Amino acid sequence: MKKRLILLALMLPVLVIAAAAASLVWLIDQPLTVANERVEVQIPRGASMRQAANAVADAGVSVSPSTLYWFARVGGHANRIKAGSYAFENGVSPRQIVEKLVRGDVLLQSLALIEGWSFRQVRALLDGHADLAHDSKGMDEGELLRQIGASEAHPEGLFFPDTYHFERGTSDLDLLRQAYGQMQSRLNDLWSKRAEGLPLKSPYEALILASIIEKETGQGADRPLISSVFINRLRVGMLLQTDPTVIYGMGEKFDGNLRRRDLETDTPYNTYTRAGLPPTPIAMPGGAAIEAALNPAESDFYYFVARGDGSSEFSKNLAQHNRAVREFQLSQKRKGS
């Protein structure tokens, strides 16, 4: 009898541990309810598994923090969780929560940079985005370029227009660094595949031309022909005479109306008064505009005018161009009357 009592006393802790383990195994796969069916939880950098478990429960997930903690501890995951913003929905299990924290399956935010935008528009978007850390706010452009590793002196046109995904709390400088790197990669790749004999000395000059094409194009199909007009003009030394560069040079003084005196007022960006390309891009060109700049259509066009439907009418000489201007401008005035 005494031996049985001793054996039972020895086995009891083992049975208790086994029962606790079985209970934990059962609990970790049970579906949980979530407040409002979905919650977001922010796990700060350096948080312990116990702190993360408490944060998940405090956010409205019906889980015992101890269950999460001990499952992670027993499985060797307690020191492997990653910081970030996580989303949990109804039906998630404790096992899935811990696995998500270990994978770093964080909730990503998004931000879209649009073709044709100026850098001023880009900075306004970054400064107003609630999920970014605004490390560049108030930073002058020279310092900003140094921070992202750019060698150029002016930020205009250096960032590739695309939709970028990032974790909440990411530095806006990191996003700009990514967009700059993508532009450099796309530009250099297309430069290596450029047509022969272009009057462009560097990838940066191609970027400048691409930004003009981006601003001048109403329909994508016209890009290669618009590019051919500017390439033909550069080859023979004609002025580019493109309104978007004049508007860019006016800056905040532009009120939406481009007047004759604006075309006659000299600035570094006035392509009616200065030959060649302007000193910098005037906007962010997309990949299609860069492709058009480096692989223009073969044409003998030197002029184009908007038809009013987004497309352009191309002309070989000034007489044809003047007729097209009269035709389409008169047509637009009739439609507006």
Side-chain angles (χ1 to χ4, degrees):
M1 185 66 179
K2 189 174 181 181
K3 289 182 178 179
R4 288 180 181 176
L5 290 174
I6 293 173
L7 183 61
L8 182 61
L10 291 173
M11 290 181 63
L12 188 60
V14 176
L15 292 173
V16 170
I17 293 172
S23 176
L24 183 60
V25 169
W26 180 81
L27 281 173
I28 61 175
D29 288 315
Q30 295 308 298
L32 304 167
T33 59
V34 174
N36 299 320
E37 299 189 349
R38 185 178 188 273
V39 296
E40 293 184 18
V41 182
Q42 184 69 31
I43 306 299
R45 294 187 186 281
S48 66
M49 183 62 220
R50 196 179 295 278
Q51 290 170 323
N54 287 329
V56 171
D58 291 345
V61 180
S62 64
V63 66
S64 164
S66 295
T67 299
L68 289 180
Y69 172 75
W70 282 108
F71 171 61
R73 178 79 179 271
V74 171
H77 304 310
N79 296 321
R80 297 173 55 204
I81 64 170
K82 298 176 177 63
S85 182
Y86 294 84
F88 300 108
E89 299 180 353
N90 259 341
V92 68
S93 69
R95 183 194 299 274
Q96 290 170 330
I97 291 173
V98 172
E99 289 176 347
K100 199 168 192 177
L101 294 175
V102 171
R103 286 197 310 269
D105 187 8
V106 296
L107 184 65
L108 295 178
Q109 312 301 318
S110 64
L111 178 147
L113 303 183
I114 309 299
E115 292 94 338
W117 272 15
S118 68
F119 185 63
R120 182 168 55 187
Q121 290 173 294
V122 171
R123 290 203 81 168
L125 179 67
L126 296 178
D127 290 346
H129 202 295
D131 295 315
L132 283 171
H134 302 119
D135 296 328
S136 75
K137 196 165 188 177
M139 188 180 290
D140 67 57
E141 293 179 349
E143 178 61 23
L144 184 151
L145 291 173
R146 284 191 291 274
Q147 288 288 333
I148 67 170
S151 59
E152 294 82 359
H154 196 285
E156 198 67 73
L158 298 183
F159 306 97
F160 192 78
D162 201 352
T163 297
Y164 294 90
H165 302 282
F166 58 92
E167 294 181 31
R168 182 175 293 164
T170 294
S171 170
D172 55 3
L173 288 170
D174 287 338
L175 192 144
L176 286 172
R177 194 175 290 114
Q178 183 181 350
Y180 174 74
Q182 190 167 336
M183 178 61 86
Q184 292 298 302
S185 176
R186 297 288 188 94
L187 181 60
N188 289 329
D189 178 60
L190 290 171
W191 176 259
S192 70
K193 302 171 184 175
R194 68 190 183 279
E196 294 183 1
L198 295 178
L200 301 171
K201 299 175 183 177
S202 66
Y204 190 69
E205 286 197 353
L207 188 65
I208 294 172
L209 178 58
S211 73
I212 297 172
I213 295 167
E214 188 70 69
K215 297 298 286 185
E216 283 280 20
T217 303
Q219 289 188 1
D222 285 343
R223 285 193 188 98
L225 279 176
I226 289 174
S227 176
S228 75
V229 169
F230 292 128
I231 289 293
N232 289 341
R233 286 188 166 215
L234 287 171
R235 280 178 172 147
V236 299
M238 285 179 64
L239 295 174
L240 295 184
Q241 293 185 324
T242 171
D243 293 353
T245 63
V246 179
I247 292 169
Y248 183 83
M250 294 174 66
E252 296 183 6
K253 293 186 295 183
F254 181 63
D255 62 4
N257 293 312
L258 191 63
R259 302 169 178 84
R260 178 172 293 277
R261 68 172 179 268
D262 299 323
L263 302 179
E264 295 172 349
T265 301
D266 184 53
T267 75
Y269 291 88
N270 190 336
T271 51
Y272 285 82
T273 61
R274 299 197 184 194
L277 294 165
T280 73
I282 59 172
M284 290 189 302
I290 300 172
E291 170 70 27
L294 290 169
N295 289 281
E298 290 288 337
S299 85
D300 50 4
F301 295 133
Y302 287 85
Y303 303 87
F304 65 93
V305 64
R307 291 192 179 114
D309 61 358
S311 66
S312 298
E313 179 72 15
F314 296 89
S315 302
K316 298 178 181 179
N317 55 58
L318 186 57
Q320 290 179 0
H321 177 63
N322 287 337
R323 286 196 296 271
V325 169
R326 287 193 297 270
E327 177 184 352
F328 291 106
Q329 286 188 347
L330 181 60
S331 174
Q332 290 173 39
K333 287 179 181 178
R334 285 172 178 169
K335 289 179 181 178
S337 60

